[in-house]
Amino acid sequence: MSSLGRVLEGALGIFFPAWCPICAKPSDRLDTSPICGACWANMSRLPANVCQICAKPLEVEGISKCGNCYAEKPFYSTIRAYTKFSDVMKEAIHLFKFSGVRRLARPIAELFKEVEIPEADLIVPVPLTKKRLTERGFNQSLLIAKTLSDFTKIPLSYDTLLKVKETPHQTTLKGTQRINSLKNAFASTVSVKGKRIAVVDDVMTTGATLNECARALIKAGAHSVFGIVAARTVLE
Ligand SMILES: [Zn+2]
Ligand SMILES: [Zn+2]
C-alpha cells in the first residue's frame, strides 16, 4: 500500500466505524459507511407491480390501483418509493435518523438517480415541528431533499410547508388514530398557486403524513403534489 493509501486508511478508520453492521465485514465505502459497498449495492427495490398512486405492492396482475386508492383517492397524485422499509435501507435509516449518521442522506437520495421522477416545480421536505427539530438537531427529510434538489435541479424550499401541531410518534398509533392526529398538523405559509410539488420523506408507513402534507399544499393552491420516499412499509 502506498503511503497515501495508509494515511487514507488511517483517516477513514478514525472517522467512521470499521465494520459493516449488516455483514460484519470491513467498511469499504466512505459515503455509505458504516454500511459496506457490497451490502449497499444489494439494496432491494420495490416489486415492479405497485399501486400507481400509493406504491403499495399489488398481488394481482393487470390492475393499477390498490383497494384503498380505489375507495378514496389521496390528495397526492403518486408516490415514488425506492424500496421496502427493511434490510439494508432500514439499517441505513436507523443510523441516519437515530444515530445521527447524517452523511447517509446523500447516498440514500442518490438512489433516486435510477428512478423516473415526475416533473415538479418545487421540492419540499416533510417538516418537523420546532420542538422535534430541536430534539433531533436536524430534519432527515430536508437532508434527503437537498441532495435530490442538487441532482434534479428542481428548486428546494424548506419553509413552504410547516408542521404547526405536535403529533404523537406515528408508530405508536393505529390507522384512524394516525389520520386524526395529523388533522391540521401541516400548513403552507406561502402561495404555491399552480405549482407541481414533490414532497420528500424518509419513510412512508400508511401514507397519512404525506396525504396531510398534500392536502395543505393543494389547499394553498398547488396544482399537484406527489411524494418521494426512500422506503415504504410493506406488510408481509
Ligand atoms: Zn456489509
Ligand atoms: Zn394505492
Side-chain angles (χ1 to χ4, degrees):
M1 189 186 284
S2 69
S3 57
L4 178 63
R6 270 193 297 277
V7 168
L8 280 176
E9 192 187 62
L12 297 183
I14 292 165
F15 291 118
F16 67 95
W19 309 105
C20 171
I22 295 159
C23 69
K25 286 185 185 146
S27 216
D28 59 355
R29 188 176 153 180
L30 184 57
D31 65 336
T32 63
S33 70
I35 297 172
C36 77
C39 286
W40 192 265
N42 251 337
M43 181 99 66
S44 62
R45 292 289 310 270
L46 278 185
N49 190 28
V50 296
C51 172
Q52 296 304 300
I53 296 180
C54 74
K56 181 182 179 183
L58 298 171
E59 278 158 25
V60 185
E61 293 287 330
I63 58 169
S64 61
K65 276 193 253 178
C66 75
N68 292 340
C69 292
Y70 263 117
E72 191 177 358
K73 195 175 172 293
F75 285 92
Y76 54 78
S77 56
T78 188
I79 301 287
R80 291 290 184 271
Y82 188 82
T83 184
K84 281 195 268 190
F85 186 51
S86 64
D87 307 325
V88 183
M89 183 59 93
K90 192 169 183 178
E91 183 69 42
I93 286 175
H94 275 265
L95 285 163
F96 168 45
K97 199 164 159 178
F98 302 116
S99 304
V101 187
R102 299 185 199 189
R103 64 171 169 266
L104 287 171
R106 178 162 288 277
I108 289 171
E110 284 178 345
L111 293 167
F112 284 91
K113 287 183 173 174
E114 305 164 21
V115 176
E116 176 269 319
I117 295 176
E119 282 191 30
D121 304 302
L122 211 54
I123 290 185
V124 167
V126 169
L128 301 177
T129 56
K130 276 190 187 151
K131 180 168 174 273
R132 188 61 58 79
L133 187 59
T134 308
E135 281 165 11
R136 185 169 294 148
F138 64 102
N139 177 353
Q140 72 280 1
S141 304
L142 172 60
L143 297 187
I144 296 173
K146 266 186 184 155
T147 295
L148 278 168
S149 172
D150 284 349
F151 73 80
T152 59
K153 308 289 179 218
I154 302 168
L156 170 73
S157 171
Y158 52 84
D159 57 1
T160 290
L161 191 64
L162 299 179
K163 190 165 185 194
V164 293
K165 190 177 101 177
E166 197 60 64
T167 52
H169 280 286
Q170 293 295 297
T171 44
T172 62
L173 303 177
K174 294 215 162 51
T176 48
Q177 289 176 313
R178 271 173 198 260
I179 292 164
N180 289 334
S181 79
L182 285 162
K183 283 254 158 70
N184 302 317
F186 299 97
S188 179
T189 53
V190 291
S191 171
V192 286
K193 202 169 184 324
K195 294 228 181 334
R196 299 162 301 174
I197 300 178
V199 178
V200 176
D201 208 354
D202 55 339
V203 182
M204 167 182 176
T205 307
T206 60
T209 299
L210 281 170
N211 201 37
E212 286 307 309
C213 290
R215 184 206 298 269
L217 291 167
I218 298 270
K219 199 171 144 194
H223 170 272
S224 53
V225 177
F226 69 93
I228 299 178
V229 295
R232 189 196 197 292
T233 298
V234 175
L235 299 173
E236 302 292 342

